[in-house]
Amino acid sequence: MAVITAPPPVVRRAADSRTVPALLSLSFFLLYAAFALREHARFRTTGYDLGIFGQAVRAYAEGRAPASEIRAATAPAGFTGDAYPLLGDHFHPALALLGPLYRLVPHVGTLLLAQAALVALSVYVLARTAQRHLERCIALGIACGLGWGTQQLIGFDFHEVAFAVPLLALACRAYLDGRTRAAACWAAALLLVKEDLGATAAVFGLLIARQDRRTGLLLAFGSALGTVVVLYVVIPAFAADGRYLYTGQVTGAHGLLDGWPVKSLTLLLLLATTGGLVLRSPLALLLLPTLAWRFTSANPAHWEPGLHYSAVLVPIAFAAVVDALRRGVRLPLSVPLAAALLLLPTQPLAALATPGFWRTDPREAAVRDALALIPDGARVAASNSLAPHLTDRATVHLVADGVLDRRPAVEWIVADRREPWPAGAVERVLRRAGERGWRVVREADGIVVLSRQSAARARALNSPFTTFPLAFRGSSGTNSTSLGTL
């Protein structure tokens, strides 16, 4: 009798398993999402930039070109429109991909979750890259997920470069795998994320040309040409003043020779988080376009390691680490991981471990009560930290100089007296509103809500024989009054 034996078990190599990278990615998505949504609930997000991008994605969801009433507050001189055309500011049509999601869930939290997912996807891609070429991925995946540039992006509202992070990870992985056409396609998509990334795509083309001359040169030439067209044709066509606004950033009071103590810190962090291996791979050339525009910028905020500007450096840097290690450079992967862990207490995600981060204070409740007084569909001027909480259901301008003179006119003001930016604008706008007879609906914990009155109503309220109306909807018990008495 023949003996029937069971087939041998199928043994999958660790390098073929997607489980560990997927678990790493999911874990970071949950961390990023929890942090971002709680920051929003704590009123730590702002009109610049979450409110602006919220208005842009809402426009896409409604089938309109992206425009922002908040961005109009710092529009070029001479702009008199209601909403600033955002494609005349930066070229980021990739944002249109969020339109359908926003239509399903019309809340700025959708943008925060999308950003968390995009960054978590890059962690998965880079972990899989390490797994394929080094047969281990946990240390590099964690180091990447906790990377300083990654955390700064998650900690800074929402930004379009979130799309660039997984695209760069995918392009670098394809390049290391020898799939030059796939790498070129992923890199070419960077032109749809932000105009400065065209230079990165062009440099990527030169790298690819070493393996695939035709594909690489096509990417390099096409990216360079596309960038020129975007900067000198597309953006000026949408811009109110017919030019690219940020050309002047390299001709201001500061430039390449200034600020090197700060710039050196950015470079030091880049080297420390990769154990210096970033310099041992040709992929390091992809860092140069971003570092070049930042270090030649006249805006000191671009030099420092904070904010979101370093996010695009992270996938390149860690792909370079994989490349260096597979070429035989010896360095334990625990070194980049240790650097990330040492920096963690100074990074945004560290707040997740502090009790105060999760505790709701009375002021949060006061702000929510104030925002609830703004009717849906109203035209409202809101201070920077309050604006993103209204963009889903109202037309929102920033409380800034000149907002009361806009047409169509705003009907409501909701402002935090402690708002630091624009400097002094809140008090100036409130004072001018008082001079025009606006009515205080509520004031508590430094949060002021006002409504516009008709000219006849304002004259009646300013009469010495008129008593103020009572009434006010809110929890503080404060009566309505004229702002002139504040």
Side-chain angles (χ1 to χ4, degrees):
M1 178 182 295
V3 178
I4 302 176
T5 59
V10 177
V11 179
R12 298 186 65 187
R13 296 190 310 132
D16 294 329
S17 174
R18 294 180 173 86
T19 303
V20 173
L23 288 176
L24 283 173
S25 178
L26 177 60
S27 298
F28 277 111
F29 168 73
L30 295 176
L31 284 175
Y32 298 154
F35 176 85
L37 293 177
R38 179 61 188 139
E39 279 287 272
H40 184 61
R42 297 171 69 208
F43 300 96
R44 301 300 179 92
T45 55
T46 54
Y48 276 69
D49 286 330
L50 181 58
I52 292 174
F53 285 114
Q55 290 176 329
V57 174
R58 179 180 176 181
Y60 276 125
E62 295 173 353
R64 299 182 285 110
S68 170
E69 291 82 6
I70 295 174
R71 178 64 178 83
T74 54
F79 177 75
T80 58
D82 190 46
Y84 193 80
L86 292 178
L87 290 177
D89 186 29
H90 290 297
F91 186 70
H92 39 45
L95 289 175
L97 295 175
L98 298 181
L101 291 177
Y102 187 92
R103 193 172 182 87
L104 291 173
V105 186
H107 192 280
V108 289
T110 301
L111 278 67
L112 298 175
L113 289 176
Q115 178 168 265
L118 288 166
V119 177
L121 173 60
S122 72
V123 173
Y124 173 81
V125 173
L126 289 167
R128 284 285 289 165
T129 304
Q131 191 180 54
R132 174 179 176 84
H133 293 279
L134 307 175
E135 296 194 357
R136 55 191 188 278
C137 66
I138 296 178
L140 186 134
I142 296 175
C144 176
L146 296 178
W148 110 86
T150 301
Q151 291 201 52
Q152 291 299 322
L153 174 61
I154 295 298
F156 183 74
D157 289 13
F158 172 89
H159 203 273
E160 71 262 67
V161 298
F163 285 96
V165 177
L167 286 175
L168 283 165
L170 288 163
C172 289
R173 178 185 177 183
Y175 174 80
L176 295 179
D177 291 348
R179 296 178 289 115
T180 54
R181 292 187 179 180
C185 289
W186 291 121
L190 293 170
L191 275 76
L192 302 177
V193 176
K194 198 163 178 277
E195 64 276 4
D196 61 280
L197 290 169
T200 302
V203 173
F204 214 138
L206 297 178
L207 283 180
I208 291 174
R210 299 168 61 192
Q211 301 177 18
D212 184 339
R213 182 178 179 84
R214 181 178 179 181
T215 301
L217 292 180
L218 181 62
L219 174 63
F221 178 77
S223 299
L225 178 61
T227 300
V228 171
V229 171
V230 166
L231 292 179
Y232 294 99
V233 178
V234 179
I235 292 179
F238 287 96
D241 57 355
R243 65 186 184 92
Y244 180 54
L245 177 63
Y246 302 97
T247 302
Q249 285 188 343
V250 295
T251 60
H254 302 289
L256 179 61
L257 300 180
D258 300 301
W260 274 103
V262 177
K263 295 173 182 177
S264 297
L265 180 59
T266 300
L267 295 176
L268 181 61
L269 282 173
L270 188 60
L271 292 173
T273 54
T274 60
L277 292 187
V278 65
L279 300 178
R280 303 296 297 270
S281 168
L283 288 173
L285 294 172
L286 299 178
L287 302 172
L288 296 180
T290 296
L291 293 175
W293 78 255
R294 288 176 61 183
F295 289 175
T296 57
S297 171
N299 183 355
H302 293 154
W303 309 340
E304 62 184 62
L307 300 180
H308 55 279
Y309 300 110
S310 296
V312 297
L313 304 178
V314 173
I316 299 170
F318 282 99
V321 169
V322 173
D323 188 30
L325 291 175
R326 73 171 187 163
R327 291 169 181 265
V329 178
R330 293 187 177 183
L331 185 79
L333 278 175
S334 57
V335 173
L337 176 58
L341 293 176
L342 286 173
L343 290 171
L344 183 57
T346 66
Q347 298 301 308
L349 291 183
L352 290 168
T354 60
F357 183 78
W358 302 101
R359 188 180 300 121
T360 300
D361 60 41
R363 189 167 181 274
E364 285 182 38
V367 176
R368 290 193 182 93
D369 288 344
L371 293 175
L373 298 175
I374 307 301
D376 291 351
R379 294 183 57 81
V380 56
S383 56
N384 197 32
S385 60
L386 308 184
H389 293 266
L390 292 168
T391 54
D392 301 323
R393 62 183 184 87
T395 299
V396 183
H397 282 274
L398 189 71
V399 173
D401 296 323
V403 69
L404 299 182
D405 299 320
R406 290 199 170 275
R407 294 293 179 268
V410 295
E411 305 156 341
W412 293 80
I413 297 173
V414 56
D416 183 348
R417 286 188 177 275
R418 290 180 282 185
E419 181 63 58
W421 188 84
V426 168
E427 291 302 327
R428 288 193 296 271
V429 170
L430 292 180
R431 183 167 57 251
R432 190 168 186 187
E435 295 168 356
R436 296 185 180 190
W438 282 62
R439 183 171 62 99
V440 176
V441 177
R442 184 183 198 275
E443 180 174 18
D445 294 304
I447 309 299
V448 186
V449 181
L450 306 93
S451 74
R452 177 187 290 274
Q453 304 167 105
S454 67
R457 179 66 170 160
R459 286 195 297 270
L461 285 176
N462 289 329
S463 168
F465 304 104
T466 303
T467 59
F468 292 117
L470 59 103
F472 129 76
R473 296 178 297 133
S475 60
S476 71
T478 306
N479 287 339
S480 291
T481 186
S482 167
L483 187 62
T485 64
L486 295 180

